[in-house]
Amino acid sequence: MPNPVHLRDSTQIVLHRSALSGIRSELECKFMLTIVQMDDERFRLIGSPVEIKNASQFLGRHGVSLP
């Protein structure tokens, strides 16, 4: 049986609101993601493992460090 933590980590990214500043629209255009506001300061990006991997690389190229 798959590890639930591994599945969750491969299908979502949690980011501070400022991390998406200036790149959110490009991120939404390039990748099939659902972006959900968790609270006033954090967003959750949800997608397939492939989309999350590609979005992670995109974010890294734009200077966003991931936890």
Side-chain angles (χ1 to χ4, degrees):
M1 177 170 240
N3 181 343
V5 172
H6 175 70
L7 290 175
R8 183 179 61 238
D9 290 346
S10 68
T11 60
Q12 73 176 0
I13 301 170
V14 176
L15 295 173
H16 191 272
R17 179 173 44 121
S18 64
L20 293 178
S21 179
I23 61 170
R24 181 175 176 168
S25 62
E26 187 176 359
L27 187 67
E28 290 177 307
C29 287
K30 288 184 178 253
F31 306 101
M32 296 290 294
L33 299 171
T34 300
I35 300 177
V36 178
Q37 188 167 357
M38 297 172 61
D39 54 35
D40 289 341
E41 296 298 319
R42 296 179 302 158
F43 284 90
R44 176 177 282 136
L45 284 61
I46 304 167
S48 73
V50 171
E51 289 295 296
I52 291 297
K53 179 180 176 185
N54 293 335
S56 295
Q57 292 170 348
F58 171 86
L59 290 167
R61 287 191 302 273
H62 287 82
V64 177
S65 61
L66 301 176

